[in-house]
Amino acid sequence: MNKNSPARSIAMSCVKKSIWIIMLTAALVIVCALLSLINPIVYKKIIDEIIPSKSINALIIPLIVMVFVPWFLVFLSSIKNYLLSVLSTRITTGLRSECFNKCLRAKQSSIENIPSAQVADRIAKECGKIGEVYLTKDLASFVQEFVSLLTILLAMLFFDVKLTFLCCLAFPVSFLLTKVVAKRSKKIDRQLIDHLEGGYVFLTGALRKIKTIKLKNGYSVENTKWLNWLNEYNKIKQKATVVHNANRFLIGDFIINIIYGVLFFVAGVMVIQGELTLGELVIFISYVPKVYSSLRNVLNIKISTEVISNSFDKVDEIIELEQEQQSGDSVKAIYSIDLRNIEFKYPRGDFNFADFNLHIKRGDKIGIVGTSGGGKSTIFELISLLYTPQKGEILINGVNAHNYSIDSIRGRVSVVTQNVDLFNDSILNNIIYPFNHVEKEELEKVVNLVSLSEFIDRLPDGLNTYVGEDGNLLSGGEKQRISIANSLIHDSDVILLDEFTAALDTDVERKLIEAIMNLPDKTVLMISHRIYNVMLCDRILVINGGKITEVGEPKRLLADPQSSFHMLYSQMIY
């Protein structure tokens, strides 16, 4: 396991903060280990002393001890398990909290390289494995079994050194086999984890697109993909089962049982020759299985550590995602935006800006048109700082955007896209997100502006109606109007509209566009294929191939038959 693992550091930090739990648990482990030695000693006393004395009264106290000790062990073990549960919850919560925070603050170019289903799987499952399985189950079991092993061996040494030494012959052989076995287990478990992640990604995607699959009659295709995944999973799982069973056989049954047989042959001979009492033989019969059981668990920690390193690696990938810059001054208002000498290309490498320049001042109403894939939406992604250009500067009020906190900049910018992303929450909470409350008058004003009033009034629960996952309980137009309402309800200086009226009726769209364009002191940038919308703008930018090929007033550009805008005009939607 990587000692510099950030996930390991977080887990250890949680452990250090819970030192009193560790100390109390350690004390309980030692007490339980000592108590587990008592009953075999009682057996010896009964066999070697009480039975030969034929004293029935002498049996009472040993029998009470035999009944009380296991009960007390269960009681102490319950307390110990509760404490470990508290510790595991703290560790898992710490890891999951850190991972989720890193995802929220990760650069877009970094987080989008990992499928969202994989991210969710790692936060939910792999963090749980580390905190709830490895650290507080496997590792705690290792400590417990190690203490138990030591106490039993010391007790055995007290009764007979030779048999104890013979019992220990299995230790070095088992240890060497464990080192070989651990590497095999890690490899096959990594294959299993990767395959399960792939299945989770497929399932998440398919379940989110069930309507599309039905409409496109894709049942057979998707079912075949799933059956192929299941077949491959079965192969890997069977292989993993064979490997793990072989490991158990080599470490557990084969080596230990050979030593076990030799040990009891020698012990039997010693009893026959009078070198060992029957009571002492019973002690060894009671202790030896515990020794080997503890030995297996102690050695298994090596295998568990190798296997869990896969989980640490997966979680580390999330924690080590490149983060957005959070420090900086707060932007009180945005008066100007400059994209200066920008060079930018996406990680996938299919598009780039080269020496791109754009000046935007407060109150500008700019329409952006151009061919698909020309870079229109990229401008919005740069302004909202979703991506960082490889070269050049993004200036806010004449100051490099890096000097401001990203949160304060995004708090002054609203974005509405044609692909509406709603939360599985109420209409109200989707409108006011990310805030918990807005003034009633402001809410009613925005709801009326986007023509949602009648729709909301028809709903039994009104604004408290849940929209479903991704808003799938609503129509496209309803979702789009909720998204627009969210952008308007906040006091943003800049409004970025990316084909935001694609699902709206013409009358609603025109009313909404006019209202937005008449908002005082608001900077509006609008990408649209609709003529009416862009003709309301003060300025038109024609974008092609990552370059501004034309700039001007819409009427002037339209009047020029040689202009790019004039040629695009005939292709636009009325």
Side-chain angles (χ1 to χ4, degrees), residues 13 31 60 131 191 247 269 304 315 344 348 381 389 404 434 506:
S13 174
V31 172
I60 295 175
Q191 291 179 22
N247 295 345
V269 171
S304 297
V315 174
F344 171 76
R348 58 182 183 265
E381 291 175 334
Y404 295 114
T506 304

Side-chain angles (χ1 to χ4, degrees), residues 479-490:
K479 290 194 291 185
Q480 217 156 35
R481 278 180 281 169
I482 290 172
S483 180
I484 296 167
N486 172 259
S487 70
L488 296 178
I489 205 163
H490 305 304

